[in-house]
Amino acid sequence: MASRSVVITGVIVGQLVGQLPAARFGLAPAHVRRAAWARGLRRSFERLGPAFIKLGQLISVRPDEFSAELVAEMQRMQDAVPPLPAEAIRAVIRSEFAAEPEDLFETFDNKPLAAASIAQVHRATLASPYRPVWGEVLPAGAEVVVKVVRPGAAESILGDVAIVRRLAERMAGTRLARRFDPVGLVDEFSSTVDRELDLRQEGRFADRFAFDFRDDARVQAPRIVWTRSTGKVLTMEFITGWRLSDLEIAREAGVDCKGLAIHGATAFMRQVFVYGRYHADLHPANIFVTPDNTIAYLDFGIVGYLTPEERMNITQVMAALIYRDPDRALRYSEKLGVHVPPEHVEPVRRGLGALLDGDVRPDGTRDFAHFGLGFLKLLGEHGVAIPSGYGLLIKSLATVEGVARALYPEIDIVETAQPFTTRILARAMGDPVRLRERMPAAVRAALRELVV
Amino acid sequence: MTDDVMRFFATWLFTHEAADEEIKAAIRRGMSGGPEGMSGGPDAFVDGLAAMVEEEKEKLKADLAARARGEEVASEESADPALDEIRFEVAELRGRLDTMESLLETILRKVGG
Ligand SMILES: Nc1ncnc2c1ncn2[C@@H]1O[C@H](COP(=O)(O)OP(=O)(O)O)[C@@H](O)[C@H]1O
């Protein structure tokens, strides 16, 4: 592995040196310098392959820990790689099933549908009907996609993770580490990667998602074909539709984009507030709108989990956002692990108040991304460590907002959270002991008492 | 659970329908929403909540009337979430068995061929 760490250092140093002219050999203004370094790092990460691409994706969701320039650059990172020849993918299938793709499927398309750093996707059709965990039977001949982990991806990623971990341990003693916890970040990173390397996890989450949304005909997830799945191969229903990036075509085909935006954002709120499990890897390529006006979620690689207690506290923070109440937001953020040192409470409270007042767009709708990301940044400036789940959720909400706005620019996503926060707060009031104590008062007064 | 709470409030409201003028005013305000809907602060929030309870109460009234006429009530609560959960877990187990069965076939092919 020593040679690999030399390669890693070489690529990074090479790219950073390549940025020296852009940084005017250190003489350019700070933000120009930072932008140049960020660009160099992003290019190195793309060159260094899957583990680094994943690391970059993780950095892109932590505006609290990294500079704005680095976050922006990492968001731009491309996870599209040249496809592997079909034979390499067929070899994986052969070794997983001891059979040719044509023996497992009625047809198998050697031309890849998509290629990313960890997996490559091919189309196929089922040879016999399959009854999925949830939903209708997939008939023989049904179109499916076969997602296959690229050969060697697991080994190379795990090797790189070990190297990055050693680097992080060395960084732990330095000044940089005061702003963030490098070892913690790498641990979080390696657990994300582990999960993505076993495709069965993704499949199980897709099933769970289909079940959670069983009463909602407008939200779907691909059905998984478990007889044709292993840790490295995941076979699922092919979803016909348009990516959010191809919205114009969808619109022309008569898709109700406004309705879908509202419904999609509501569905996300339901994942967060009702189930405590949410799709945390939303981006326009992972969401399809379909000709029959449904939203399909693809790629459940990164999933966020919330305990009931966390959900309750998040509800309160959301309610605080609705009321524009900074004290309440801070009180419940504290319970979520956001510890503001006493001497910083006042400035943070003031900054938060300003954010809450300033989060309105010209059209009068609220701007969650501005608020959420601004809040993370504010906490970072005051040296407050942010629990990773908190950052992930805020980033996901901001993404949902962005995605929904692509469909329907006037949407107010805080509004879509409201029915959920209201109901959850109502549930908290339903504690029988409290009810019996307070019900003799008028309902309005009682509700009032219990909400606050 | 949530629905139980809402039902509870609705029942209470139903039995106190005539009682509280202040509640009725809150419901009216909540229904009309006001310029900021439920976001106008704790008062507006409570008004909005009162309006939601009111809706639930109307549903409850309709259900009771239907029951009195001897009709089947298709209420949302009739599907038992716990039972659904078990059905899902069994289905999930079936999925895992499918994978194991296919793994077994793979092993047989490997030792056979
Ligand atoms: N079930 C599906 N139906 C249709 N297209 C799919 C399906 N699954 C994946 N794709 C296509 O393949 C691309 C990559 O799949 P994805 O699961 O996101 O892989 P990765 O996790 O490697 O990015 C998607 O953006 C989509 O275009």
Side-chain angles (χ1 to χ4, degrees):
Chain A
M1 272 299 127
S3 64
R4 173 69 177 165
S5 52
V6 172
V7 171
I8 291 171
T9 320
V11 170
I12 295 180
V13 170
Q15 285 290 340
L16 294 182
V17 169
Q19 294 298 326
L20 277 176
R24 283 197 263 129
F25 299 92
L27 294 175
H31 70 96
V32 175
R33 254 176 10 236
R34 277 200 303 269
W37 291 124
R39 193 158 52 240
L41 264 187
R42 194 251 301 159
R43 289 196 187 143
S44 333
F45 281 17
E46 282 174 357
R47 288 260 304 272
L48 287 168
F52 287 85
I53 289 178
K54 287 290 150 197
L55 184 62
Q57 286 172 351
L58 206 69
I59 290 175
S60 79
V61 302
R62 303 304 297 270
D64 48 315
E65 286 184 349
F66 301 97
S67 74
E69 289 84 359
L70 189 59
V71 167
E73 198 62 49
M74 291 298 166
Q75 279 171 349
R76 211 168 296 143
M77 189 152 52
Q78 297 295 321
D79 189 15
V81 298
L84 283 178
E87 186 40 46
I89 296 300
R90 296 173 60 96
V92 176
I93 296 178
R94 209 177 289 129
S95 97
E96 290 290 293
F97 291 98
E100 290 298 322
E102 283 73 16
D103 300 330
L104 298 165
F105 299 99
E106 189 178 80
T107 62
F108 180 85
D109 189 351
N110 283 319
K111 195 163 71 57
L113 179 65
S117 54
I118 293 188
Q120 184 158 317
V121 178
H122 285 256
R123 294 182 67 160
T125 52
L126 287 187
S128 48
Y130 181 73
R131 183 171 158 220
V133 166
W134 207 258
E136 311 259 300
V137 171
L138 289 161
E143 299 213 43
V144 292
V145 306
V146 186
K147 185 171 174 179
V148 180
V149 174
R150 290 167 73 105
E155 295 73 13
S156 95
I157 288 182
L158 296 177
D160 281 356
V161 168
I163 293 171
V164 173
R165 186 159 220 295
R166 276 200 298 279
L167 268 173
E169 277 161 5
R170 256 187 280 160
M171 269 171 70
T174 68
R175 216 155 52 85
L176 240 177
R178 241 181 280 154
R179 235 172 88 71
F180 75 101
D181 165 18
V183 179
L185 189 75
V186 172
D187 284 345
E188 185 184 335
F189 162 62
S190 78
S191 68
T192 314
V193 166
D194 278 351
R195 257 180 280 140
E196 277 199 67
L197 285 174
D198 184 350
L199 294 179
R200 282 171 296 192
Q201 304 249 17
E202 180 182 334
R204 280 185 207 128
F205 192 77
D207 281 343
R208 181 81 223 187
F209 185 91
F211 172 73
D212 283 345
F213 283 88
R214 63 195 178 279
D215 60 353
D216 188 339
R218 296 185 68 188
V219 173
Q220 59 165 327
R223 287 167 276 181
I224 306 298
V225 183
W226 287 109
T227 46
R228 294 291 175 264
S229 298
T230 66
K232 289 185 175 164
V233 177
L234 188 68
T235 299
M236 65 188 130
E237 167 184 18
F238 177 83
I239 306 265
T240 311
W242 301 276
R243 298 175 186 215
L244 288 189
S245 29
D246 304 326
L247 222 56
E248 276 320 303
I249 314 172
R251 252 192 211 107
E252 272 163 36
V255 168
D256 166 22
C257 289
K258 176 182 171 183
L260 282 184
I262 294 172
H263 203 85
T266 309
F268 185 80
M269 297 301 172
R270 188 164 159 197
Q271 294 173 52
V272 171
F273 291 112
V274 181
Y275 303 122
R277 284 181 289 274
Y278 61 94
H279 192 302
D281 191 18
L282 286 178
H283 54 78
N286 281 344
I287 302 176
F288 277 22
V289 297
T290 71
D292 43 357
N293 268 315
T294 72
I295 304 165
Y297 287 79
L298 303 177
D299 191 4
F300 293 90
I302 307 180
V303 172
Y305 290 94
L306 300 165
T307 64
E309 200 191 336
E310 285 168 332
R311 252 180 284 160
M312 192 63 219
N313 290 324
I314 285 166
T315 306
Q316 293 282 7
V317 174
M318 234 23 206
L321 180 56
I322 292 168
Y323 301 161
R324 300 179 200 283
D325 178 346
D327 288 316
R328 191 192 186 96
L330 280 183
R331 190 160 70 242
Y332 287 98
S333 294
E334 171 92 32
K335 296 193 183 185
L336 289 162
V338 178
H339 304 298
V340 183
E343 67 276 20
H344 287 284
V345 166
E346 205 24 57
V348 168
R349 208 193 66 82
R350 244 180 294 124
L352 184 56
L355 276 174
L356 283 172
D357 289 335
D359 68 344
V360 182
R361 287 169 213 268
D363 63 9
T365 58
R366 261 160 304 201
D367 183 346
F368 180 82
H370 171 81
F371 165 79
L373 302 180
F375 185 37
L376 290 183
K377 203 156 176 59
L378 179 72
L379 293 174
E381 282 162 11
H382 288 273
V384 180
I386 290 148
S388 64
Y390 197 79
L392 187 64
L393 178 65
I394 290 187
K395 157 76 198 281
S396 299
L397 282 168
T399 311
V400 169
E401 180 181 67
V403 166
R405 272 178 189 271
L407 281 165
Y408 173 52
E410 285 82 40
I411 193 168
D412 187 334
I413 74 142
V414 177
E415 195 85 18
T416 63
Q418 206 152 278
F420 296 100
T421 54
T422 310
R423 284 204 165 239
I424 287 168
L425 292 176
R427 169 164 32 176
M429 294 187 290
D431 176 6
V433 179
R434 299 190 74 181
L435 277 179
R436 216 167 311 133
E437 273 173 17
R438 315 216 185 189
M439 276 321 270
V443 168
R444 185 172 188 283
L447 294 183
R448 177 73 196 278
E449 274 293 310
L450 295 162
V451 174
V452 184
Chain B
M1 267 289 264
T2 320
D3 287 329
D4 291 347
V5 177
M6 295 307 275
R7 279 263 138 158
F8 178 80
F9 284 138
T11 315
W12 193 91
L13 191 57
F14 181 48
T15 53
H16 290 70
E17 214 171 14
D20 193 325
E21 280 309 314
E22 204 189 338
I23 280 247
K24 286 190 190 161
I27 291 169
R28 269 195 305 279
R29 284 194 302 272
M31 292 266 181
S32 69
E36 290 188 79
M38 285 168 81
S39 359
D43 283 329
F45 178 82
V46 172
D47 290 348
L49 190 57
M52 285 169 69
V53 175
E54 165 76 12
E55 272 171 34
E56 194 69 25
K57 186 203 70 183
E58 287 303 319
K59 253 197 272 169
L60 176 70
K61 252 163 103 174
D63 281 3
L64 290 175
R67 255 183 257 253
R69 290 194 299 272
E71 290 165 19
E72 193 66 38
V73 178
S75 79
E76 304 159 35
E77 290 91 290
S78 65
D80 186 341
L83 219 60
D84 261 3
E85 192 68 38
I86 293 171
R87 273 196 13 235
F88 175 71
E89 273 167 29
V90 171
E92 210 177 26
L93 269 177
R94 179 166 49 74
R96 287 186 196 218
L97 284 176
D98 284 347
T99 310
M100 281 164 75
E101 196 181 339
S102 112
L103 182 62
L104 188 63
E105 282 164 16
T106 302
I107 292 169
L108 287 176
R109 276 195 293 270
K110 280 192 173 156
V111 296

